[in-house]
Amino acid sequence: MHEQIEELYTKAADFIERCYGELGLPAVQQQQRLQDIKNEIRVSGTYTHTPTELMHGAKMAWRNSNRCIGRLLWETLEVFDRRDITTADEAFDALLDHIRFATNDGDIRSTITVFPPRKQGRDPIRIWNHQLIRYAGYEVDGNVVGDSANRAMTKTCESLGWQGAHTSYDILPLIIQEDGHLPKLYKLPDGLVKEVPISHPDIPGFEALGVKWHAVPIISDMRLEIGGIDYPMAPFNGWYMGTEIGARNLADEDRYNLLPVIAKQMGLATNSNRSLWIDKALVELNIAVLHSFHQSGVTLIDHHTAAKQFKAFEKKENSAGRPVTGNWTWLIPPVSPATTHIFHKPYRNDIVTPNFFHQASPLDEE
Ligand code: ARG
């Protein structure tokens, strides 16, 4: 066998053994499957996952995601197998289904939709967006309106003919590209994207700031790798942990930079660091996020509960005989990290597959 082909078979066999083992499938079935895969690879240079393999492989990829604190729930992932899709139009429809299903009117369901795998080094279909739902960012005389993290994507959308309303919360369209075709732009239909207006339980005037965030984070630019097969388009979502929005998206200086605005609203003196006005504003903003999602009936987890869940995950993995890998710098929450057990122990950041990987963005090749 050719070297690459042999490497693929090794990866496939490693996956199949663990997958079938975890699913408690009989050894004869596994042996037969390995034989079939060997033949398929010999004839075609690749192999095709069964729906069961795809489903369990995607769950394992979540379980192996070292940056994710929410992995206790890896087995609950809903997997939509859309390897049948060939056109950008069909892909767009499948993505709308994903958003609708995952949002579930606020009772969020962890979901992944898997599109066709890479074949002979070519990606049959790709999405250019980092997440299915993101806000545009515009540069206006040296300042940014909206989310500055998405300036490049906003410009690309504009170059493809899109025009936003120039509010701070314009939902970006999707850009989907079939192999060998020009990318196509798709607007998300009005009313599809659930958003949460941010208010505070007892700081008056908070709601009047007009801050909001979308309900579901759906990462769409990562490559899913299962048993040596690459899925370059496999958008997935869980639900938010409050700090992602309250301590990063809305708080980072190079994102929405709201802490000075909130401190002002709270009447805090911002001329001395020693007053900890930054910390006070940060905590209140995070309270507001937790409060608002709860009020809107949208699933969200606070970082203390998330850390407890992660502890349960570690215990569960240990009893299953699987070492827990993790990226400490990502696992610790950005608010009060040392109040969680995660802060106080080391994690091995070993990369285990199946997993999700960063990949070159078509956006950068512009
Ligand atoms: N941190 C990202 C954001 O704020 C989302 C990453 C995925 N988060 C999740 N809870 N699954 O949009």
Side-chain angles (χ1 to χ4, degrees), residues 131 134 213-214 217 219 237-241 244-245 249 255:
Q131 291 187 29
R134 292 241 97 182
W213 203 255
H214 57 89
I219 303 288
N237 73 277
W239 48 77
Y240 267 117
M241 180 164 84
E244 297 183 84
I245 303 167
N249 302 348
R255 298 291 297 285

Side-chain angles (χ1 to χ4, degrees), residues 36-88:
D36 291 348
I37 288 176
K38 194 174 261 176
N39 293 338
E40 191 179 344
I41 292 178
R42 229 180 240 139
V43 173
S44 72
T46 186
Y47 74 103
T48 309
H49 290 129
T50 66
T52 306
E53 289 161 9
L54 187 74
M55 193 204 304
H56 196 67
K59 291 178 182 182
M60 291 165 87
W62 183 4
R63 190 178 74 205
N64 290 330
S65 293
N66 287 358
R67 296 170 166 189
C68 177
I69 194 175
R71 286 181 273 163
L72 176 63
L73 299 174
W74 66 274
E75 282 164 301
T76 66
L77 184 66
E78 295 275 358
V79 183
F80 291 120
D81 178 0
R82 294 313 309 271
R83 289 175 292 172
D84 59 306
I85 278 172
T86 58
T87 68

